Amino acid sequence: MLFNSYEFIFLFFPLVLAGYAVCRKAGCARVFLFLASLIFYGWSSPRQLPVLLCSMAVNYGLYWQMERAENKKGILIAGLSLNLAALCCFKYLDLGGFVPLAVSFYTFTQIAFLMEGYRGNLKNVKALDYGVYVTYFPKLLQGPIALPEEILPKVSKERSKADRSGLREKTDWERIYRNLYLFLLGLFKKVLIADTFGQAVTSGYSNLSGLNSLDCIIVMLSYTLQLYFDFSGYCDMAMGVSGMLGIELPLNFNSPYKAANILEFWKGWHITLTRFFTKYLYIPLGGSRKGRGRTYFNILIVFFLSGLWHGTGIQFLVWGMMHGVLYVLTRMFLDSKWGRALYERYKRLSGPVKALVHGTCVLLTFLYVNVAWVFFRASSLEEAGSLLRTITEHRGGRVNWDLAGCFNLDEFWYVIKVLHLDSWQYAHYICMVLILIAVLLLVFFGKNAVDYVKTVKPGVVHSLIMAVLLVWSVLSLTGVSTFLYVNF
């Protein structure tokens, strides 16, 4: 089941929200959440449930043994080996096309659990609490990758103090209102923005030989925007759903395309994955404690494995190393004496000069990330090279008719017809230009959805906006695609 589906919006989640409120009063909220999460996961393909349950049983058994054993390190190594071996088998071996949904995300969740158990940060965690932590449906399919300490304390208490004392707890309607708003913003980002650009990406990659340079730039830019709004839209929905249940999930995106360098980009893109690799790979490798050379090498290992995690093709490794190499070069620059001096001079700038320098850095970083995403999206190095080569060859001509048509949503085209602009020779391109401009302005100057809803107060204006977002998104659900990162 996906967030952007009729059954989730109108059936599953309303029942879960009501059932959770009742079960919380009755003291069985954990059981309810666990069962609801299993239904959510197995809704479309029940045959995937045994794999998830088997993985959970093995990992909890290892944790239980680790709690009581003297040789904790041996059990940890066995646990990590089993998890990584299972992940590699499902992702990289041909098992008849069977790849359990979200296997990467729940495997990482369980690795985090074992690591924290080994470090002594988890004591006597009950099987039910562990089950809810792993399967918690808002973050199960696509993250964010929550650490044990971010979920377990919130699900381990059946009732609040007010409940235990026999008092009735007041429902925080304003919290529910804001998180519903966040969910609808995420749904809009996915259904109306990401999938619109997704159609352009699919059209472009299916006809690369027929595209000119401008077409390829639009296709490249469209994928950059599709991936961001698809993934961040999912995370907004996940945070909104979880927030309505009273459990706060960690932030996963913080305006990454506003970054002025690649270090800032990775502080804002897929934050919980970066944190996972930092905590459980980079730091155990030595982090920055063993000299600069070792530090840079450790960074490259992290990005290499990140590329390998995303896919088996060589193009994913190229994507990972493009980020890794630039990350290391940027670190080397900032670590050098003249680099630090130049950076200090930059911080002392003010006014238009600083804005110009900063804007240039943001655009250059954005351009580099765009080029790297080409390798992430392409099915091969040859396909990626073909698109980039067409851009550099400066092939002229009008934008491809089919590519431009992907942006002509019925509701927008109706407005164009009402304004009698449909007879203009360039009418076919109006929506494409306006949507690209509007979305780029949103990316570079707009607020994060999470930050925006923090300031929202229940009222007529916001309620009307929410109604428009809901109706518009729901009416567009029949043509939407699955989330991109579900495939990873």
Side-chain angles (χ1 to χ4, degrees):
M1 190 186 303
L2 296 175
F3 294 155
N4 57 326
S5 63
Y6 295 114
E7 56 264 32
F8 180 86
I9 296 171
F10 296 113
L11 177 63
F12 179 82
F13 187 64
L15 290 176
V16 167
L17 191 60
Y20 181 71
V22 172
C23 290
R24 191 165 179 269
K25 300 295 183 183
C28 56
R30 291 176 296 171
V31 175
F32 179 82
L33 272 183
F34 181 62
L35 294 177
S37 297
L38 293 182
I39 293 171
F40 175 84
Y41 182 77
W43 182 275
S44 303
S45 181
R47 68 180 184 139
Q48 299 182 102
L49 266 176
V51 179
L52 172 61
L53 292 173
C54 181
S55 174
M56 291 169 58
V58 170
N59 279 282
Y60 185 75
L62 289 167
Y63 164 76
W64 189 85
Q65 290 290 334
M66 196 184 300
E67 282 277 275
R68 292 153 180 80
E70 293 185 5
N71 183 21
K72 296 180 184 294
K73 190 171 185 179
I75 297 175
L76 174 67
I77 292 173
L80 296 180
S81 300
L82 285 172
N83 278 285
L84 294 175
L87 180 61
C88 290
C89 285
F90 284 122
K91 285 179 70 74
Y92 306 125
L93 297 181
D94 185 5
L95 300 178
F98 177 68
V99 180
L101 194 64
V103 63
S104 292
F105 286 96
Y106 69 67
T107 299
F108 278 11
T109 296
Q110 297 190 105
I111 287 175
F113 185 83
L114 290 177
M115 289 291 294
E116 295 305 313
Y118 170 75
R119 293 172 178 177
N121 298 326
L122 302 175
K123 295 293 184 182
N124 301 316
V125 176
K126 296 180 180 180
L128 182 57
D129 293 335
Y130 168 76
V132 177
Y133 164 64
V134 175
T135 64
Y136 185 50
F137 74 91
K139 56 87 177 171
L140 175 59
L141 298 187
Q142 207 173 306
I145 303 171
L147 300 178
E149 60 266 26
E150 293 170 325
I151 300 293
L152 286 173
K154 300 168 186 175
V155 303
S156 61
K157 295 181 180 179
E158 288 282 350
R159 306 189 222 176
S160 67
K161 292 180 180 179
D163 294 325
R164 290 196 296 272
S165 64
L167 300 174
R168 187 173 182 177
E169 187 178 6
K170 183 179 179 182
T171 302
D172 188 351
W173 291 110
E174 187 168 318
R175 171 181 56 78
I176 293 176
Y177 184 91
R178 287 176 176 172
N179 281 287
L180 177 59
Y181 204 147
L182 181 60
F183 175 84
L184 292 174
L185 286 173
L187 183 64
F188 181 84
K189 287 165 73 172
K190 164 60 179 172
V191 174
L192 274 304
I193 300 179
D195 281 350
T196 297
F197 284 107
Q199 293 179 38
V201 173
T202 301
S203 174
Y205 273 92
S206 64
N207 182 37
L208 283 180
S209 61
L211 303 183
N212 60 38
S213 296
L214 182 56
D215 294 332
C216 287
I217 291 174
I218 293 172
V219 171
M220 178 178 70
L221 180 60
S222 293
Y223 184 69
T224 296
L225 298 174
Q226 178 200 6
L227 187 60
Y228 171 66
F229 281 99
D230 187 282
F231 200 3
S232 68
Y234 177 94
C235 291
D236 290 341
M237 284 187 269
M239 293 181 73
V241 166
S242 188
M244 283 186 270
L245 295 173
I247 299 175
E248 186 177 344
L249 291 178
L251 183 68
N252 213 22
F253 287 89
N254 187 18
S255 299
Y257 291 154
K258 295 179 183 178
N261 57 60
I262 204 67
L263 275 65
E264 290 182 6
F265 173 81
W266 281 104
K267 288 179 181 178
W269 181 273
H270 208 340
I271 298 169
T272 58
L273 179 65
T274 302
R275 179 182 64 177
F276 178 90
F277 278 125
T278 300
K279 191 169 187 177
Y280 302 122
L281 179 61
Y282 175 72
I283 292 176
L285 285 173
S288 57
R289 304 186 303 274
K290 299 184 178 182
R292 290 182 182 177
R294 181 65 179 270
T295 298
Y296 303 147
F297 181 70
N298 291 340
I299 290 171
L300 290 176
I301 290 177
V302 169
F303 278 102
F304 176 83
L305 292 177
S306 177
L308 187 63
W309 174 74
H310 281 92
T312 56
I314 189 68
Q315 67 273 18
F316 287 102
L317 296 180
V318 171
W319 168 80
M321 295 314 294
M322 283 183 68
H323 279 275
V325 169
L326 183 60
Y327 197 102
V328 167
L329 291 175
T330 306
R331 279 287 300 266
M332 291 174 67
F333 169 76
L334 293 176
D335 288 341
S336 66
K337 184 177 179 180
W338 60 275
R340 287 195 300 270
L342 195 60
Y343 184 66
E344 289 299 322
R345 288 185 62 185
Y346 161 74
K347 289 197 297 184
R348 289 195 295 269
L349 293 175
S350 61
V353 176
K354 185 170 185 177
L356 179 62
V357 173
H358 179 76
T360 301
C361 292
V362 170
L363 289 176
L364 288 174
T365 303
F366 183 68
L367 175 60
Y368 188 88
V369 170
N370 266 265
V371 174
W373 283 138
V374 171
F375 293 93
F376 193 87
R377 169 58 178 81
S379 60
S380 65
L381 285 179
E382 291 74 20
E383 189 174 62
S386 176
L387 186 142
L388 295 173
R389 188 163 52 251
T390 301
I391 292 176
T392 59
E393 288 175 351
H394 306 296
R395 297 182 194 172
R398 186 176 292 188
V399 173
N400 183 277
W401 184 268
D402 292 332
L403 178 62
C406 295
F407 295 91
N408 289 333
L409 304 181
D410 291 340
E411 50 269 46
F412 294 148
W413 191 249
Y414 177 77
V415 174
I416 290 175
K417 292 180 72 174
V418 168
L419 296 175
H420 303 292
L421 296 173
D422 52 311
S423 59
W424 185 37
Q425 63 172 325
Y426 296 109
H428 190 70
Y429 303 97
I430 293 176
C431 290
M432 180 188 72
V433 173
L434 292 180
I435 289 175
L436 280 169
I437 292 174
V439 173
L440 286 172
L441 288 174
L442 181 62
V443 164
F444 291 119
F445 301 103
K447 260 188 173 184
N448 277 328
V450 175
D451 294 331
Y452 173 72
V453 298
K454 288 178 181 177
T455 64
V456 167
K457 296 285 185 183
V460 175
V461 174
H462 286 301
S463 296
L464 287 173
I465 294 174
M466 290 168 67
V468 170
L469 292 174
L470 176 62
V471 172
W472 196 358
S473 298
V474 166
L475 290 176
S476 304
L477 281 181
T478 53
V480 303
S481 64
T482 188
F483 290 92
L484 294 178
Y485 254 77
V486 167
N487 299 319
F488 297 111

